[in-house]
Every structure is written in structure tokens, then in C-alpha cells.
């Protein structure tokens, strides 16, 4: 995947813009720029000190292309660990194409997605989990996602994992040394200290694994399905939550034939609301497809708003529906609509009856609203945020990367095998197999252990120029 020599790419967005930023990295980056850049202060340019800015004219064979600002970052004190030059130009498409062609004609190679960050990793400017956090930081759309990515990019949990991994590696070395003196029956690795280290590792890894459910929804957004019978007010609720007429509202049952999705950010967390077709048996083929899609969306949701109309249902129907949706990783918020009518004495609330059945009904909260006058919509938003916040674990470190989650699970399995082996008083050579497996998976997180296929898969998902 890694190109040889000097690479170039735009580090800013596409299309016409006020400013466009180009980045070059490699041993020939500064000489390439020197051949086609005339600085306004030739004296300062000749020194070419690292971390300096230079204003001047970029030209091709003396013909001006643009007035640009050139930034120099010399190795090893640059993002990639190589000589890096960044050029800020005006952002017309014509100028962008001319600048790219200028340096490609000099031998620069167009950078592949993520190649600058890959070079930073290979030059030990960051570990692999930090490199992945760069992509997450670029793609973050909310405050919470930004904070998770930024914490990981700063080192996150890899420094702590690395410290414990080093201790485990030291024990592995001592156990290997024991094998060389097997005839003398000498024990170099203190089994009591090893047990304590394994407990520390197990505790830390379990905490990180437990944080993944929260980290995943923070990174990708929380999928929230709005379900209920036809005409319960699901589309009206979606419109009230978003404060816009996103879904068509009608008194005719079965108006929503397909899922309607939109996003809303609450306290820095993104929620992906899904308005589903009303759940009922139907002979209408189109509506039946909508009901089937609604069930599919419910299966992928982390939060479920079960909306009911107290004038058109009873507690037995609600209980039956909730038991149908119940699963361990789903939080259900039970919402009673048409509070405005109940307040006016035109209907009867089912909340008192449902609260008496709370032990057997798998819901987290029960709440009354009115989509007609948007009564208590803000309180409902607070409840939804609180449900997500309950997933948070103690500590600042949150795992949001599926690759890290899988590696941690495998490492924990290996550590448990080591503990079981010690309980069974297995020999050092057998213990070392599982210890080395744990070391392998912990090393995969930071990139201490890696391969070309893994790197290619990770960095191919980056944007060009980063």
C-alpha cells in the first residue's frame, strides 16, 4: 500500500473554495518546492528552517501559477516523521489542477487514502489505535463522538494496556527462561505476582469491553425506533421531536408505508429516529412490506419508543407487544399519547394500570405526552438521553472501534485460559502458549503486532490527504 518517494494530495475539501491546502511528504518534498517557488524573502527561504511560513509565487518555468503560503516541517518533527511541505493556495479548480500537475510532473506520487497517517504510524509518530482515531475525529459529527476520538488519538487506553502488556511480556520471558532450566526445576516467574497481573489485566479489559456498547452508539449515533399501532401518533411524534414536518400525518390508519429516518443531536449525542409503519395484520401488500421493514428496524434499534393511544388500546395489548420486542440490549420507553385529551377529561390514562404491571413488563420508563400541542416533548428528549447515559461505564476511556473490541475479547479469553491453566498447575510451556496469545491480541490494538492486510484494511477507509 505504501508508495515510495514523495507523495502529494489535497488536504482540504473538493470544489472551488477561498483556500486550498496541498500536502507533500517525503525526502524530496522541500527540493521539489524549491524548484518552483520564489519566496518574497529569499534570505529566509534559503535557511528553510522547520516550522516556518514563507509567502511567495508558485510558478512553472517562470510562469506564475498563484501566490501561495508555504509551510515547512522538517523530519522528524512533522506529522509523518518525514520532511513535510504544506502549500496554501487560492481554491479555484484551475489552480488546484495546475499545482497537482506541477508536482506530479516532478515525480511526486498522488497519495492514497490514509497514506500520510500510515507513514506517521510506520515512523512511530503514533500507534495504530491513535491512527484509527484520526479517521474517527475527521468523521465525528457530534461533541460526544469528537471527545471519544480525541481521547483515543491522545493515547487513550493504549498506554495503560501497553504497560500491562509489557509486564505480561516480562513474565512470558521468565517462563521461557524456566524451560531452559527445566532439568534443575527452577522457577523464575513468581506465580503469585502473575496471578495479580492477570487479575489487573482481566479487570481492565472487562471495563473496556463493557464500554463498547456505549462507545459504538456514540460513534455511529443511537438508533431509536418509534413503534406502535396505526394512528397512535408516531409520525406526529417524529415531527414534534425534530420540530419540523418531516413525516406525513393523516387520520387514515396505515399512512406510513415505509420507514422514515432523521437525526437529532441531544446534549452532544446523535439520535437516529426511525418512524415505522403501524404494526398490525394487513391484507394490503404495500403496507405489509412496511410492517416487515418496521420489524427489521426494531431488531437493529438500541432504543425503542413504544407509543400508544389510550383510547384505542388496553394494557393486555401493550403487554403482549412489549414482550414481543423485549431483548437484553434494547431499552424501551413506553409513551402514552394524547395527554391533552386526558387532561380535558376526554380519555382515561392507562399509566396507573401499567405501573402496577411494571415487574412483568420489560420497559425502562413510562411517560405521557401530547403530539398535538407538543406537551412534554422536551422531557421525553431528556429521558432518551438518560437511557443512553446509563450505558456509560466508569472512567474516561471508551472503546468505539469494533476491531479493538474483538481483539479485547480474544485477549480476555486467552487470559482466562492462563488463569485456568494455573489453577490446574499446568507446566510453564503450556502456560506460555496462552500468554503469548494474549500478548498477540493486545499488541494488535496498538499495532505492535500487525500485517499488510490489516494495515491496508484500516487505512483504505481514510480520506485522501490524511
Amino acid at each position: 500500500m505504501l508508495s515510495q518517494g514523495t507523495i502529494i494530495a489535497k488536504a482540504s475539501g473538493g470544489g472551488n473554495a477561498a483556500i486550498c491546502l496541498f500536502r507533500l511528504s517525503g525526502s524530496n518534498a522541500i527540493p521539489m518546492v524549491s524548484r518552483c517557488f520564489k519566496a518574497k524573502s529569499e534570505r529566509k527561504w534559503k535557511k528553510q528552517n522547520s516550522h516556518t511560513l514563507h509567502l511567495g509565487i508558485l510558478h512553472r518555468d517562470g510562469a506564475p501559477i498563484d501566490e501561495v503560503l508555504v509551510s515547512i516541517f522538517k523530519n522528524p518533527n512533522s506529522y509523518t516523521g518525514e520532511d513535510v511541505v504544506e502549500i496554501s493556495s487560492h481554491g479555484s479548480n484551475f489552480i488546484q489542477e495546475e499545482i497537482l500537475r506541477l508536482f506530479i510532473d516532478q515525480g511526486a506520487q498522488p497519495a492514497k487514502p490514509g497514506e500520510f497517517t500510515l507513514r506517521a504510524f510506520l515512523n512511530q509518530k503514533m500507534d495504530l489505535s491513535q491512527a484509527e482515531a484520526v479517521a474517527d475525529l475527521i468523521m465525528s459529527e457530534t461533541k460526544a463522538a469528537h471527545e471519544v476520538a480525541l481521547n483515543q488519538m491522545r493515547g487513550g487506553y493504549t498506554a495503560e494496556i501497553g504497560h500491562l502488556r509489557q509486564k505480561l511480556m516480562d513474565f512470558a520471558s521468565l517462563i521461557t527462561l524456566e524451560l531452559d532450566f527445566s532439568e534443575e526445576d527452577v522457577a523464575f516467574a513468581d506465580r503469585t505476582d502473575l496471578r495479580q497481573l492477570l487479575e489487573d489485566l482481566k479487570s481492565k479489559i472487562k471495563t473496556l469491553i463493557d464500554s463498547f456498547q456505549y462507545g459504538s452508539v456514540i460513534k455511529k449515533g443511537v438508533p431509536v425506533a418509534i413503534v406502535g399501532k396505526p394512528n397512535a401518533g408516531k409520525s406526529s411524534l417524529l415531527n414534534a421531536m425534530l420540530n419540523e414536518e418531516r413525516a406525513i400525518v393523516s387520520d387514515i390508519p396505515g399512512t406510513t408505508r415505509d420507514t422514515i429516518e432523521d437525526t437529532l443531536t441531544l446534549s452532544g449525542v446523535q439520535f437516529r429516529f426511525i418512524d415505522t409503519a403501524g404494526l398490525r395484520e394487513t391484507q394490503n401488500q404495500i403496507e405489509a412490506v412496511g410492517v416487515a421493514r418496521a420489524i427489521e428496524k426494531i431488531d437493529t434499534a438500541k432504543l425503542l419508543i413504544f407509543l400508544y393511544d389510550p383510547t384505542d388500546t388496553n394494557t393486555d395489548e401493550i403487554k403482549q407487544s412489549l414482550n414481543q420486542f423485549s431483548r437484553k440490549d434494547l431499552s424501551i420507553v413506553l409513551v402514552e399519547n394524547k395527554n391533552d385529551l386526558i387532561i380535558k377529561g376526554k380519555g382515561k390514562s392507562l399509566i396507573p394500570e401499567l405501573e402496577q404491571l411494571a415487574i412483568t413488563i420489560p420497559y425502562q420508563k413510562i411517560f405521557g405526552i401530547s403530539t398535538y400541542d407538543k406537551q412534554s416533548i422536551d422531557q421525553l428528549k431528556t429521558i432518551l438521553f438518560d437511557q443512553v447515559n446509563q450505558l456509560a461505564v466508569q472512567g474516561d476511556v471508551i472503546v468505539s472501534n469494533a476491531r479493538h473490541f474483538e481483539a479485547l475479547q480474544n485477549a480476555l479469553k486467552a487470559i482466562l485460559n492462563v488463569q485456568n491453566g494455573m489453577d490446574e498447575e499446568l507446566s510453564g510451556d503450556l502456560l506460555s502458549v496462552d500468554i503469548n496469545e494474549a500478548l498477540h491480541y493486545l499488541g494488535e490494538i496498538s499495532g505492535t503486532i500487525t500485517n499488510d492486510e490489516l494495515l491496508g484494511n484500516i487505512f483504505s477507509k481514510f480520506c485522501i490527504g490524511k
Side-chain angles (χ1 to χ4, degrees), residues 8-235:
I8 184 173
K10 282 198 306 176
S12 53
N16 286 314
I19 300 294
C20 182
L21 181 67
F22 295 88
R23 174 181 286 163
L24 295 97
S25 181
S27 59
N28 206 27
I30 295 175
M32 279 184 178
V33 175
S34 295
R35 288 194 287 269
C36 56
F37 176 67
K38 183 173 178 58
K40 288 198 172 183
S41 175
E42 286 294 330
R43 179 178 59 83
K44 290 182 179 179
W45 173 250
K46 286 179 181 178
K47 293 181 181 179
Q48 293 177 351
N49 292 326
S50 184
H51 292 72
T52 56
L53 300 176
H54 305 271
L55 181 65
I57 300 296
L58 199 65
H59 61 84
R60 179 188 285 273
D61 299 328
I65 296 175
D66 191 21
E67 185 175 62
V68 300
L69 189 65
V70 172
S71 310
I72 293 179
F73 307 91
K74 289 190 173 181
N75 75 84
N77 300 314
S78 70
Y79 179 74
T80 63
E82 304 173 328
D83 286 344
V84 171
V85 179
E86 293 184 351
I87 302 171
S88 300
S89 71
H90 293 94
S92 82
N93 284 328
F94 173 76
I95 292 174
Q96 293 179 39
E97 292 173 5
E98 285 295 300
I99 292 175
L100 279 174
R101 191 146 48 91
L102 173 66
F103 289 104
I104 290 173
D105 288 347
Q106 290 192 59
Q109 301 174 48
K112 298 180 178 69
E115 191 165 359
F116 291 96
T117 306
L118 174 58
R119 292 190 176 201
F121 165 69
L122 294 176
N123 290 323
Q124 299 182 343
K125 303 298 291 184
M126 61 180 69
D127 65 35
L128 193 55
S129 71
Q130 289 175 302
E132 289 171 297
V134 171
D136 289 344
L137 190 65
I138 293 170
M139 298 301 294
S140 62
E141 297 182 354
T142 64
K143 179 182 178 182
H146 166 265
E147 288 177 348
V148 169
L150 192 60
N151 182 53
Q152 185 176 322
M153 196 175 76
R154 287 173 173 172
Y157 57 90
T158 52
E160 188 169 355
I161 286 290
H163 177 67
L164 293 172
R165 182 179 183 272
Q166 183 60 53
K167 283 189 174 182
L168 188 59
M169 188 178 298
D170 292 341
F171 273 105
S173 300
L174 292 174
I175 288 175
T176 302
L177 188 61
E178 288 178 1
L179 300 179
D180 294 335
F181 293 87
S182 57
E183 294 181 1
E184 285 80 1
D185 194 25
V186 178
F188 293 101
D190 188 309
R191 296 310 197 255
T192 302
D193 290 345
L194 179 55
R195 284 184 183 277
Q196 184 58 53
L197 175 60
L198 292 172
E199 280 298 322
D200 292 344
L201 265 173
K202 185 172 70 174
S203 175
K204 183 61 182 176
I205 290 173
K206 279 186 174 180
T207 300
L208 293 172
I209 289 173
D210 290 342
S211 75
F212 178 71
Q213 186 179 4
Y214 178 66
S216 181
V217 297
I218 291 298
K219 179 178 178 179
K220 300 176 182 178
V222 187
V224 184
I226 304 174
V227 301
K229 292 171 63 175
N231 255 24
K234 299 182 297 299
S235 296

